Each structure stands twice: as structure tokens, then as C-alpha cells.
Amino acid sequence: MAKKKYDYRAQQAHKRNQQKIADAKAKQKQKEFIEKYGKQVLIGVVAVVLVIAAIWMFGGLIRTDGSLPIMFGKLQNVEEDWIIANLNTTDKPRYYKMAEYTAPEGYTLSDEDDLFSDERVQTQTYVANDENAVVQEMFVSGVRNITAENQVNTVLGYYTTKSEAKRATIAGYDVHYGYISYETTPVTYDDQGIVVDVPEEEKTGRSGLCMYIDGIKDSCVLVMLYGKNGPLAEVTTMEALEAEMEKFLTPLVVEK
């Protein structure tokens, strides 16, 4: 029994010794490989890292779908008078130039906060210099993945006081548009938290004209005209806003 136990221990010791020899040989081969090819391997690794970095930094500059190039998270070669919209998803955005728009005479570009949280989306809002102007404010933006006809019908569905969807050729564009009117009376509450009724003559309101023009990739461009915010009974009429349409569509150049 003692001999068998000794033989077993001797065998285990021999195996451990053989493993040590094998490990030493492997380390020696690894050392020889590194000494011989280490420089080439390092250059290869660095090259791969540089390629990955270049793709990350400059890959956004290569666009084959017509979308605007991006570098370091910012759109490149964009002009201030461009209307830009993301026509893809939020996770995988693709930004396109939808139109150009120059300031209409008598209006100043507003510096108010944009309606979009995406800072790459570019819209324009203008306010009238004359407080008596029929159009007191106007807004231009791109609308993704919907045609002008479908969009005007969708928007009109949100309002109670509205016109039917209309269509006309104005300033060389096939325009789908509609008139809306809505109340802007501030809501106030009494001491019990109940809404205070406002006399009809004290209520305020505003009206607008939504104009949509078909653009690229089955999307459209919105030009929105707003009348003055004032007494509800005196909101700007549809006829008054329609008379202003050509003035505000003439500065527009839609991408096709």
C-alpha cells in the first residue's frame, strides 16, 4: 500500500514537472513571437483603432441618401436660412434640408425657444414689426413622413372651429391649407380651486392659417400664419389671412 501511494505521488510530481516544462516552452515561444513580430502586431492594433476612430468621427460625413453630413455631433455646411428636419427615427436620425426661407419684409426672426428638443432640427419663427399687421407671427418647419394633403386633414381634426381643407396654387406651389380659430383666454381659479367663468366679452382668441407643401421623401413643409391674439369675437378672419398667403410663400424655396 505504501509503495502504491509513493508511486502515485511520484506520478503526480512528474506530471507537474512536465506541465512546468510545457508552460516554460510556451512562454519562450510567446516571447520569441513578440520579439519577432511584436512591432508589426502593435502597428496593426494601432491601425485598427485609428480606423475605428476615423469611422466614428468621419463616418457621418459620408452620406449616400441625400441626408446632411454630421461631424462631432453637429451638422456640417448648414446655412441659417435652411429648414431642416429629421426624416428618420430619433434613435437613428437622418437630417435633410427641406427648404430655404428668407425673412419677409416687415418681420424679424424670433429668438424664442425652438419647439423641438432636437437642436439639429432647424425651423424659423418671425414676428411682425407692426402691431397692426394682419399676420402677427409666422412659423416655418419641416414635417416628416406625411404628405401635405394628409397633414392638413390631420391638423384640422384637432380643432373645433375650422374650415374645410382647401387647395390652391400660390407662388408657384400646390398648397394644401386650412383655417383654424381657438380660444386663448387664461384659466383662473377661485379660493376653492374652481375655474372662474369669464364673461364672453372678456374672452380672447387667435386664428391661424396652416399651409402645407409637398417636399422630399413623402414629407412636407409647413408655413403657419397667426393673426393677432385679442378679443375672441374679433379674431382675424380666414379671408384676411388668405390675402396674405402669397406674401409669405414667395420667400420659400422647397427642396424637391
Side-chain angles (χ1 to χ4, degrees), residues 186-197:
V187 178
T188 57
Y189 302 87
D190 61 19
D191 295 340
Q192 283 73 45
I194 299 174
V195 176
V196 176
D197 288 332

Side-chain angles (χ1 to χ4, degrees), residues 22-38 41:
D23 290 343
K25 289 181 178 180
K27 287 181 179 180
Q28 181 61 32
K29 288 183 178 180
Q30 186 179 34
K31 182 179 179 181
E32 292 174 355
F33 179 85
I34 292 174
E35 289 176 350
K36 187 175 182 179
Y37 301 106
V41 171

Side-chain angles (χ1 to χ4, degrees), residues 98 173 213-216 254-256:
M98 302 292 295
Y173 291 113
I213 299 167
D214 283 321
I216 61 173
V254 177
E255 293 290 301
K256 295 293 186 179

Side-chain angles (χ1 to χ4, degrees), residues 1-44:
M1 180 66 70
K3 185 177 180 181
K4 287 183 179 180
K5 186 179 292 186
Y6 174 79
D7 289 344
Y8 173 77
R9 289 177 177 175
Q11 290 173 0
Q12 292 299 107
H14 178 69
K15 288 181 179 179
R16 287 194 294 272
N17 187 51
Q18 291 295 105
Q19 186 62 50
K20 288 180 180 180
I21 294 172
D23 290 343
K25 289 181 178 180
K27 287 181 179 180
Q28 181 61 32
K29 288 183 178 180
Q30 186 179 34
K31 182 179 179 181
E32 292 174 355
F33 179 85
I34 292 174
E35 289 176 350
K36 187 175 182 179
Y37 301 106
K39 188 175 182 180
Q40 292 91 326
V41 171
L42 180 60
I43 291 173

